[in-house]
Amino acid sequence: MSQTEARYQSHVLETYARMPLEPVRGRGTRLEDRSGRVYLDFCTGIATCSLGHAHPRVADAIRRQAETLLHVSNLYHIPQQAALAEEINTRHVGLPGKLFFSNSGAEANDGLIKSARRFGRHRPQADGSPRYEVLTFNRSFHGRTLGSMAATGQEKIQQGFDPLLPGFRHLPFNDIDALRESIRPETAALLLEPVQGEGGVHVATAGFLRAAAEICREHDLLLMLDEVQAGFGRCGDAMAWRRIAPEITPDGISWAKGMGGGVPIGSFWLSDRAVDGDGTPLPSLMGPGSHGSTYGGNPLVCAAALAVLREIRERDLAANALRQETRIRETITSWNHPAIREIRGLGLLVGLGLDAGAIPCADDRTPALDLVLRLMENGLLTVPAGPDTMRLLPPLNVTDAEIDEGLEILHTTLRGLPPAG
Ligand SMILES: *Cc1c(COP(=O)(O)O)cnc(C)c1O
């Protein structure tokens, strides 16, 4: 056992089943471990290091900001935060709205949930009692706080934490009829991932997103999109929903992961649209004192995120994600390998649906984890999404040669699988 492993055992909660890898430095798509071995990184901190590791523009922005001003309170005006909000609104979302900056995706979703409750109080039921319910979907993942965990549609994540925060119901994903029949007087909002990431890489259908938007209009509900994993170029467009149903207009959006390229930042966005006949804008329901965060949107993380998002936009890295998706799909399809049942996802959020029978795994491992560990031994880092889906999450600036190299490792590893028993 290494010294680091021993220290973990003595001092760190075992909330993760950690893999035997100790990264010490990175550059671009390469991650180097303690022993000096270099890996091709298609895990990217779970879709977080969108520009790879140690990107010079981001490192520069962080260094300069650290030498100038790390942190001030949100009691003051923070120019980097204002510039980042403007960049996101005008260049990435392209719809009028207002942002709040958090430190993570779970917190961003908590902000959306709080906004839905304010909205449901402002637009109550016929008898005057507030609406509060947020509908979410099976296999969804929204985070680990008490709020975002209750929103998450996976029992294994909620197990043992009763009583859960009330006010959520989970519906089958991509089922328009079930959604239509599930609206109750207390329902205030829908929250959904345009591309479900952790739950196995399942893409919302265009019909489902359009129907969700229509049902929200009909029943005066907020349409809230969790783009924490899928947003900011990852899925081949600035926003994942635009790859699927570009004409819909969300009322709320949450982000984190890739927006900071590795610095802890998240955000939620509320549309400027009016929520009543008096023209009350939705963001005004979250006024002074309604929400806050000490660190959220501080100068350091905003300077870094601004560098990341400008790089993604100026180099049109969403277009690269789109192009690489095609290359990945064509190559993997051409192998016709029995272990890969289907390729799901959009852009560089790729999920390989595995055939459990074709992967002979050790008793305590799922097929996805088994394959991920074999790939790691062969020099490629990837990440499971549930028991039988493996994710490829290269950085958005990945080159053709790097994709080819990663796919070659995958192909070699698949061909080297011992026959299933
Ligand atoms: C990762 C993730 C979250 C939670 O983000 P944290 O930063 O880990 O709190 C929420 N929603 C989605 C879709 C995610 O992928």
Side-chain angles (χ1 to χ4, degrees):
M1 188 187 296
S2 75
Q3 185 186 43
T4 300
E5 281 170 343
R7 283 173 168 161
Y8 262 99
Q9 209 168 63
S10 305
H11 303 294
V12 182
L13 271 181
E14 241 183 277
T15 56
Y16 284 84
R18 288 170 214 275
M19 298 180 191
L21 180 71
E22 200 177 322
V24 291
R25 67 175 63 78
R27 183 124 211 124
T29 51
R30 308 288 160 172
L31 195 64
E32 187 183 325
D33 77 3
R34 219 183 140 69
S35 72
R37 177 150 193 217
V38 176
Y39 297 82
L40 187 58
D41 188 1
F42 285 6
C43 168
T44 54
I46 313 188
T48 295
C49 308
S50 32
L51 302 178
H53 301 289
H55 191 280
R57 186 171 182 175
V58 182
D60 238 36
I62 292 172
R63 188 181 314 108
R64 264 185 285 138
Q65 194 57 49
E67 286 167 357
T68 314
L69 187 64
L70 274 185
H71 177 83
V72 294
S73 169
N74 273 306
L75 292 168
Y76 307 130
H77 288 89
I78 300 172
Q80 294 80 9
Q81 186 183 122
L84 177 60
E86 183 186 63
E87 164 80 19
I88 291 172
N89 263 332
T90 60
R91 310 288 201 132
H92 300 264
V93 181
L95 298 168
K98 305 279 185 292
L99 289 101
F100 176 94
F101 291 97
S102 64
N103 311 291
S104 67
E107 286 172 277
N109 284 327
D110 278 354
L112 286 182
I113 293 161
K114 285 178 75 172
S115 305
R117 291 199 171 180
R118 278 280 168 107
F119 170 75
R121 193 161 277 273
H122 187 79
R123 304 283 293 165
Q125 304 179 40
D127 68 0
S129 57
R131 295 189 289 159
Y132 56 84
E133 186 182 58
V134 177
L135 299 179
T136 66
F137 297 88
N138 294 342
R139 292 186 309 212
S140 62
F141 182 77
H142 299 298
R144 303 285 196 159
T145 59
L146 286 166
S148 60
M149 172 181 69
T152 293
Q154 297 185 54
E155 263 171 41
K156 68 166 194 209
I157 283 171
Q158 302 168 332
Q159 220 167 39
F161 296 116
D162 292 324
L164 296 179
L165 182 73
F168 298 93
R169 230 171 347 123
H170 308 122
L171 310 179
F173 193 54
N174 278 336
D175 186 335
I176 297 172
D177 293 335
L179 175 57
R180 219 178 271 290
E181 287 158 16
S182 296
I183 313 301
R184 294 181 185 160
E186 64 268 28
T187 308
L190 312 185
L191 173 63
L192 68 97
E193 296 158 88
V195 182
Q196 292 185 329
E198 300 304 312
V201 189
H202 298 280
V203 182
T205 63
F208 183 66
L209 281 192
R210 287 189 197 116
E214 190 188 294
I215 288 165
C216 284
R217 253 196 324 273
E218 258 169 50
H219 295 271
D220 191 22
L221 314 175
L222 296 183
L223 177 63
M224 309 193 299
L225 301 181
D226 179 341
E227 295 242 356
V228 166
Q229 184 159 161
F232 291 116
R234 170 70 44 194
C235 289
D237 198 311
M239 295 293 127
W241 96 78
R242 290 223 165 88
R243 270 293 305 277
I244 305 168
E247 70 279 14
I248 68 162
T249 51
D251 301 307
I253 316 172
S254 55
W255 302 285
K257 291 197 167 88
M259 82 179 277
V263 298
I265 184 170
S267 179
F268 74 93
W269 175 95
L270 296 175
S271 161
D272 274 344
R273 86 161 167 89
V275 290
D276 56 25
D278 301 334
T280 309
L282 174 60
S284 73
L285 304 181
M286 295 295 283
S290 63
H291 201 46
S293 169
T294 298
Y295 284 130
N298 85 6
L300 182 76
V301 293
C302 287
L306 198 53
V308 171
L309 296 188
R310 283 180 175 156
E311 181 74 7
I312 290 175
R313 168 170 60 83
E314 288 166 12
R315 312 247 159 185
D316 200 2
L317 296 181
N320 187 51
L322 193 60
R323 207 169 59 78
Q324 301 297 354
E325 175 193 348
T326 308
R327 299 182 71 248
I328 291 169
R329 281 180 178 277
E330 283 175 1
T331 304
I332 294 180
T333 304
S334 75
W335 301 338
N336 207 11
H337 194 282
I340 297 179
R341 283 190 16 244
E342 59 176 349
I343 308 171
R344 297 191 296 268
L346 293 176
L348 288 173
L349 206 179
V350 179
L352 304 181
L354 305 174
D355 186 337
I359 299 174
C361 46
D363 6 310
D364 57 338
R365 289 181 188 175
T366 62
L369 181 60
D370 192 86
L371 183 57
V372 165
L373 290 170
R374 284 176 197 276
L375 288 167
M376 190 165 98
E377 264 165 47
N378 292 340
L380 177 67
L381 302 181
T382 58
V383 59
D388 50 16
T389 304
M390 195 204 83
R391 263 176 299 180
L392 296 170
L393 302 166
L396 305 184
N397 54 1
V398 69
T399 64
D400 289 13
E402 288 163 343
I403 288 290
D404 293 346
E405 183 185 340
L407 291 176
E408 191 51 47
I409 296 173
L410 175 59
H411 198 194
T412 307
T413 305
L414 288 172
R415 280 182 304 194
L417 285 175

